[in-house]
CSV table of all heavy atoms in Angstrom, one decimal:
chain,number,residue,atom,x,y,z
A,17,PRO,N,-18.2,18.7,17.1
A,17,PRO,CA,-17.0,19.3,16.6
A,17,PRO,C,-16.6,18.6,15.2
A,17,PRO,O,-16.9,17.4,15.0
A,17,PRO,CB,-15.9,19.0,17.6
A,17,PRO,CG,-16.5,17.8,18.4
A,17,PRO,CD,-18.0,17.9,18.3
A,18,SER,N,-15.9,19.3,14.4
A,18,SER,CA,-15.5,18.7,13.1
A,18,SER,C,-14.3,17.8,13.3
A,18,SER,O,-13.3,18.2,14.0
A,18,SER,CB,-15.2,19.8,12.1
A,18,SER,OG,-14.6,19.3,11.0
A,19,LEU,N,-14.3,16.6,12.8
A,19,LEU,CA,-13.1,15.8,12.8
A,19,LEU,C,-12.5,15.7,11.4
A,19,LEU,O,-11.8,14.7,11.1
A,19,LEU,CB,-13.5,14.4,13.2
A,19,LEU,CG,-14.2,14.2,14.6
A,19,LEU,CD1,-14.4,12.7,15.0
A,19,LEU,CD2,-13.4,14.9,15.7
A,20,GLU,N,-12.7,16.8,10.6
A,20,GLU,CA,-12.2,16.8,9.3
A,20,GLU,C,-10.7,16.6,9.2
A,20,GLU,O,-10.1,15.8,8.4
A,20,GLU,CB,-12.5,18.1,8.6
A,20,GLU,CG,-12.1,18.2,7.1
A,20,GLU,CD,-12.5,19.5,6.5
A,20,GLU,OE1,-13.3,20.2,7.1
A,20,GLU,OE2,-12.1,19.8,5.4
A,21,GLY,N,-9.9,17.2,10.1
A,21,GLY,CA,-8.5,17.1,10.1
A,21,GLY,C,-8.1,15.6,10.5
A,21,GLY,O,-7.1,15.1,9.9
A,22,CYS,N,-8.8,15.1,11.4
A,22,CYS,CA,-8.5,13.7,11.8
A,22,CYS,C,-8.7,12.7,10.6
A,22,CYS,O,-7.9,11.8,10.4
A,22,CYS,CB,-9.4,13.2,13.0
A,22,CYS,SG,-9.2,14.2,14.5
A,23,ARG,N,-9.8,12.9,10.0
A,23,ARG,CA,-10.1,12.0,8.8
A,23,ARG,C,-9.2,12.3,7.7
A,23,ARG,O,-8.9,11.4,6.9
A,23,ARG,CB,-11.6,12.2,8.4
A,23,ARG,CG,-12.5,11.9,9.6
A,23,ARG,CD,-13.9,11.7,9.1
A,23,ARG,NE,-14.8,11.5,10.2
A,23,ARG,CZ,-15.0,10.3,10.8
A,23,ARG,NH1,-14.3,9.3,10.4
A,23,ARG,NH2,-15.8,10.2,11.8
A,24,ALA,N,-8.7,13.5,7.5
A,24,ALA,CA,-7.7,13.8,6.5
A,24,ALA,C,-6.4,13.0,6.7
A,24,ALA,O,-5.8,12.5,5.8
A,24,ALA,CB,-7.4,15.3,6.4
A,25,LYS,N,-6.0,13.0,8.0
A,25,LYS,CA,-4.8,12.2,8.4
A,25,LYS,C,-5.0,10.7,8.1
A,25,LYS,O,-4.1,10.0,7.6
A,25,LYS,CB,-4.4,12.5,9.8
A,25,LYS,CG,-3.8,13.9,10.1
A,25,LYS,CD,-2.4,14.0,9.5
A,25,LYS,CE,-1.8,15.3,9.9
A,25,LYS,NZ,-0.4,15.4,9.3
A,26,LEU,N,-6.2,10.2,8.5
A,26,LEU,CA,-6.5,8.8,8.2
A,26,LEU,C,-6.4,8.5,6.7
A,26,LEU,O,-5.8,7.5,6.3
A,26,LEU,CB,-7.9,8.5,8.8
A,26,LEU,CG,-8.4,7.1,8.5
A,26,LEU,CD1,-7.6,6.0,9.1
A,26,LEU,CD2,-9.9,7.0,9.0
A,27,ALA,N,-7.0,9.4,5.9
A,27,ALA,CA,-7.0,9.2,4.5
A,27,ALA,C,-5.6,9.2,3.9
A,27,ALA,O,-5.2,8.4,3.0
A,27,ALA,CB,-7.9,10.2,3.8
A,28,ARG,N,-4.8,10.1,4.4
A,28,ARG,CA,-3.4,10.2,4.0
A,28,ARG,C,-2.6,8.9,4.3
A,28,ARG,O,-1.8,8.4,3.6
A,28,ARG,CB,-2.7,11.4,4.6
A,28,ARG,CG,-1.2,11.5,4.3
A,28,ARG,CD,-1.0,11.7,2.8
A,28,ARG,NE,-1.6,12.9,2.3
A,28,ARG,CZ,-1.5,13.4,1.1
A,28,ARG,NH1,-0.8,12.7,0.2
A,28,ARG,NH2,-2.1,14.5,0.7
A,29,GLY,N,-2.9,8.3,5.5
A,29,GLY,CA,-2.3,7.1,5.9
A,29,GLY,C,-2.7,6.0,4.9
A,29,GLY,O,-1.8,5.2,4.5
A,30,ARG,N,-3.9,5.9,4.5
A,30,ARG,CA,-4.4,4.9,3.6
A,30,ARG,C,-3.8,5.1,2.2
A,30,ARG,O,-3.5,4.1,1.5
A,30,ARG,CB,-5.9,4.9,3.6
A,30,ARG,CG,-6.5,4.2,4.8
A,30,ARG,CD,-8.0,4.3,4.9
A,30,ARG,NE,-8.5,3.4,5.9
A,30,ARG,CZ,-9.7,3.5,6.5
A,30,ARG,NH1,-10.5,4.6,6.2
A,30,ARG,NH2,-10.1,2.7,7.4
A,31,LEU,N,-3.5,6.3,1.8
A,31,LEU,CA,-2.8,6.6,0.6
A,31,LEU,C,-1.4,6.0,0.6
A,31,LEU,O,-0.9,5.4,-0.4
A,31,LEU,CB,-2.8,8.1,0.3
A,31,LEU,CG,-4.1,8.7,-0.3
A,31,LEU,CD1,-3.9,10.2,-0.4
A,31,LEU,CD2,-4.5,8.1,-1.6
A,32,HIS,N,-0.7,6.1,1.7
A,32,HIS,CA,0.6,5.6,1.9
A,32,HIS,C,0.6,4.1,1.9
A,32,HIS,O,1.5,3.4,1.3
A,32,HIS,CB,1.3,6.1,3.1
A,32,HIS,CG,1.9,7.5,3.0
A,32,HIS,ND1,2.9,7.8,2.2
A,32,HIS,CD2,1.5,8.7,3.5
A,32,HIS,CE1,3.2,9.1,2.2
A,32,HIS,NE2,2.3,9.6,3.0
A,33,LYS,N,-0.5,3.5,2.4
A,33,LYS,CA,-0.6,2.0,2.4
A,33,LYS,C,-0.7,1.6,1.0
A,33,LYS,O,-0.1,0.6,0.5
A,33,LYS,CB,-1.9,1.6,3.2
A,33,LYS,CG,-2.2,0.1,3.1
A,33,LYS,CD,-3.4,-0.3,3.8
A,33,LYS,CE,-4.7,0.2,3.0
A,33,LYS,NZ,-4.9,-0.6,1.8
A,34,ASP,N,-1.6,2.2,0.2
A,34,ASP,CA,-1.7,1.9,-1.2
A,34,ASP,C,-0.4,2.1,-2.0
A,34,ASP,O,-0.1,1.3,-2.9
A,34,ASP,CB,-2.9,2.7,-1.9
A,34,ASP,CG,-4.2,2.4,-1.3
A,34,ASP,OD1,-4.4,1.3,-0.7
A,34,ASP,OD2,-5.1,3.2,-1.4
A,35,ALA,N,0.3,3.2,-1.7
A,35,ALA,CA,1.6,3.4,-2.3
A,35,ALA,C,2.6,2.3,-2.0
A,35,ALA,O,3.4,1.9,-2.9
A,35,ALA,CB,2.1,4.8,-1.9
A,36,PHE,N,2.6,1.8,-0.8
A,36,PHE,CA,3.5,0.7,-0.4
A,36,PHE,C,3.2,-0.5,-1.3
A,36,PHE,O,4.1,-1.2,-1.8
A,36,PHE,CB,3.3,0.4,1.1
A,36,PHE,CG,3.9,-0.8,1.6
A,36,PHE,CD1,5.3,-0.9,1.5
A,36,PHE,CD2,3.2,-1.9,2.1
A,36,PHE,CE1,6.0,-2.1,2.0
A,36,PHE,CE2,3.8,-3.0,2.5
A,36,PHE,CZ,5.2,-3.1,2.5
A,37,GLU,N,1.9,-0.8,-1.4
A,37,GLU,CA,1.5,-2.0,-2.2
A,37,GLU,C,1.9,-1.8,-3.7
A,37,GLU,O,2.3,-2.7,-4.3
A,37,GLU,CB,0.0,-2.2,-2.1
A,37,GLU,CG,-0.5,-3.5,-2.6
A,37,GLU,CD,-1.9,-3.9,-2.2
A,37,GLU,OE1,-2.6,-2.9,-1.8
A,37,GLU,OE2,-2.2,-5.0,-2.1
A,38,HIS,N,1.8,-0.6,-4.2
A,38,HIS,CA,2.2,-0.3,-5.5
A,38,HIS,C,3.7,-0.5,-5.7
A,38,HIS,O,4.1,-1.0,-6.8
A,38,HIS,CB,1.8,1.2,-5.9
A,38,HIS,CG,2.1,1.6,-7.3
A,38,HIS,ND1,1.5,1.0,-8.4
A,38,HIS,CD2,3.1,2.4,-7.7
A,38,HIS,CE1,2.0,1.6,-9.5
A,38,HIS,NE2,3.0,2.4,-9.1
A,39,GLU,N,4.5,0.0,-4.8
A,39,GLU,CA,5.9,-0.2,-4.9
A,39,GLU,C,6.3,-1.7,-4.9
A,39,GLU,O,7.2,-2.1,-5.6
A,39,GLU,CB,6.6,0.5,-3.7
A,39,GLU,CG,6.6,2.0,-3.7
A,39,GLU,CD,7.4,2.6,-4.8
A,39,GLU,OE1,8.4,1.9,-5.2
A,39,GLU,OE2,7.1,3.7,-5.4
A,40,LEU,N,5.6,-2.5,-4.1
A,40,LEU,CA,5.9,-3.9,-4.0
A,40,LEU,C,5.6,-4.6,-5.4
A,40,LEU,O,6.3,-5.4,-5.8
A,40,LEU,CB,5.1,-4.6,-2.9
A,40,LEU,CG,5.4,-4.2,-1.5
A,40,LEU,CD1,4.5,-5.0,-0.5
A,40,LEU,CD2,6.8,-4.5,-1.1
A,41,ALA,N,4.5,-4.2,-6.0
A,41,ALA,CA,4.1,-4.7,-7.2
A,41,ALA,C,5.1,-4.4,-8.3
A,41,ALA,O,5.3,-5.3,-9.2
A,41,ALA,CB,2.7,-4.2,-7.6
A,42,LYS,N,5.7,-3.3,-8.2
A,42,LYS,CA,6.8,-3.0,-9.2
A,42,LYS,C,8.0,-3.9,-9.1
A,42,LYS,O,8.7,-4.2,-10.0
A,42,LYS,CB,7.2,-1.5,-9.1
A,42,LYS,CG,6.1,-0.5,-9.6
A,42,LYS,CD,6.6,0.9,-9.7
A,42,LYS,CE,7.2,1.4,-8.5
A,42,LYS,NZ,7.6,2.9,-8.6
A,43,VAL,N,8.3,-4.2,-7.8
A,43,VAL,CA,9.5,-5.1,-7.6
A,43,VAL,C,9.2,-6.5,-7.8
A,43,VAL,O,9.9,-7.2,-8.6
A,43,VAL,CB,9.9,-4.9,-6.1
A,43,VAL,CG1,11.1,-5.8,-5.8
A,43,VAL,CG2,10.3,-3.4,-5.9
A,44,VAL,N,8.2,-7.1,-7.2
A,44,VAL,CA,7.8,-8.5,-7.4
A,44,VAL,C,6.3,-8.5,-7.6
A,44,VAL,O,5.5,-8.4,-6.6
A,44,VAL,CB,8.2,-9.4,-6.2
A,44,VAL,CG1,7.8,-10.8,-6.5
A,44,VAL,CG2,9.7,-9.3,-6.0
A,45,PRO,N,5.7,-8.6,-8.8
A,45,PRO,CA,4.3,-8.6,-9.0
A,45,PRO,C,3.6,-9.8,-8.2
A,45,PRO,O,4.3,-10.8,-8.0
A,45,PRO,CB,4.2,-8.8,-10.5
A,45,PRO,CG,5.5,-8.4,-11.1
A,45,PRO,CD,6.5,-8.7,-10.0
A,46,PRO,N,2.4,-9.6,-7.8
A,46,PRO,CA,1.7,-10.7,-7.1
A,46,PRO,C,1.8,-12.1,-7.8
A,46,PRO,O,1.9,-13.1,-7.2
A,46,PRO,CB,0.3,-10.2,-7.0
A,46,PRO,CG,0.4,-8.7,-7.0
A,46,PRO,CD,1.6,-8.4,-7.9
A,47,SER,N,1.8,-12.1,-9.2
A,47,SER,CA,1.8,-13.3,-9.9
A,47,SER,C,3.1,-14.0,-9.8
A,47,SER,O,3.2,-15.2,-10.1
A,47,SER,CB,1.5,-13.0,-11.4
A,47,SER,OG,2.5,-12.2,-11.9
A,48,LYS,N,4.2,-13.3,-9.3
A,48,LYS,CA,5.5,-13.9,-9.2
A,48,LYS,C,5.8,-14.3,-7.8
A,48,LYS,O,6.9,-14.8,-7.5
A,48,LYS,CB,6.6,-12.9,-9.7
A,48,LYS,CG,6.5,-12.5,-11.2
A,48,LYS,CD,6.8,-13.7,-12.1
A,48,LYS,CE,6.9,-13.3,-13.5
A,48,LYS,NZ,7.2,-14.4,-14.4
A,49,ARG,N,4.9,-14.1,-6.8
A,49,ARG,CA,5.2,-14.3,-5.4
A,49,ARG,C,5.1,-15.8,-5.0
A,49,ARG,O,5.2,-16.1,-3.8
A,49,ARG,CB,4.3,-13.4,-4.6
A,49,ARG,CG,4.7,-12.0,-4.8
A,49,ARG,CD,3.9,-11.0,-4.0
A,49,ARG,NE,4.1,-9.6,-4.5
A,49,ARG,CZ,3.3,-8.6,-4.1
A,49,ARG,NH1,2.4,-8.7,-3.1
A,49,ARG,NH2,3.6,-7.4,-4.6
A,50,LYS,N,4.8,-16.7,-5.9
A,50,LYS,CA,4.8,-18.1,-5.6
A,50,LYS,C,6.1,-18.7,-6.1
A,50,LYS,O,6.3,-19.9,-6.0
A,50,LYS,CB,3.6,-18.8,-6.2
A,50,LYS,CG,2.3,-18.4,-5.6
A,50,LYS,CD,1.2,-19.2,-6.2
A,50,LYS,CE,-0.2,-18.8,-5.5
A,50,LYS,NZ,-0.2,-19.3,-4.1
A,51,GLU,N,7.0,-18.0,-6.8
A,51,GLU,CA,8.2,-18.5,-7.3
A,51,GLU,C,9.3,-18.2,-6.4
A,51,GLU,O,9.9,-17.1,-6.3
A,51,GLU,CB,8.5,-17.8,-8.7
A,51,GLU,CG,7.4,-18.1,-9.7
A,51,GLU,CD,7.6,-17.4,-11.0
A,51,GLU,OE1,8.7,-16.8,-11.2
A,51,GLU,OE2,6.7,-17.4,-11.9
A,52,ILE,N,9.7,-19.1,-5.5
A,52,ILE,CA,10.7,-19.0,-4.5
A,52,ILE,C,12.0,-19.7,-5.0
A,52,ILE,O,12.0,-20.9,-5.1
A,52,ILE,CB,10.3,-19.5,-3.2
A,52,ILE,CG1,9.0,-18.7,-2.7
A,52,ILE,CG2,11.4,-19.3,-2.1
A,52,ILE,CD1,8.4,-19.2,-1.4
A,53,PRO,N,13.1,-19.0,-5.3
A,53,PRO,CA,14.3,-19.6,-5.7
A,53,PRO,C,15.0,-20.4,-4.6
A,53,PRO,O,15.2,-19.8,-3.5
A,53,PRO,CB,15.1,-18.5,-6.2
A,53,PRO,CG,14.7,-17.3,-5.4
A,53,PRO,CD,13.2,-17.5,-5.2
A,54,LEU,N,15.3,-21.6,-4.9
A,54,LEU,CA,16.0,-22.4,-3.9
A,54,LEU,C,17.3,-23.1,-4.6
A,54,LEU,O,17.3,-23.3,-5.8
A,54,LEU,CB,15.1,-23.6,-3.4
A,54,LEU,CG,13.9,-23.1,-2.6
A,54,LEU,CD1,13.1,-24.4,-2.2
A,54,LEU,CD2,14.2,-22.4,-1.3
């Protein structure tokens, strides 16, 4: 049987994972994540 629909849902989930990481980078870039204000 074709699992094309299942794999399309999996791929969509990974797109949202990448989008989450992109949103974080806009807020606090990885280069700034060692700067913790105290």
Side-chain angles (χ1 to χ4, degrees):
S18 171
L19 302 187
E20 183 178 350
C22 302
R23 299 195 185 280
K25 287 290 186 180
L26 173 61
R28 177 61 62 176
R30 285 174 166 156
L31 282 177
H32 281 291
K33 175 184 75 70
D34 294 341
F36 171 62
E37 194 166 22
H38 180 70
E39 290 291 332
L40 294 182
K42 291 194 299 185
V43 174
V44 181
S47 61
K48 297 290 186 181
R49 293 179 193 172
K50 292 184 180 292
E51 300 175 7
I52 301 178
L54 298 177

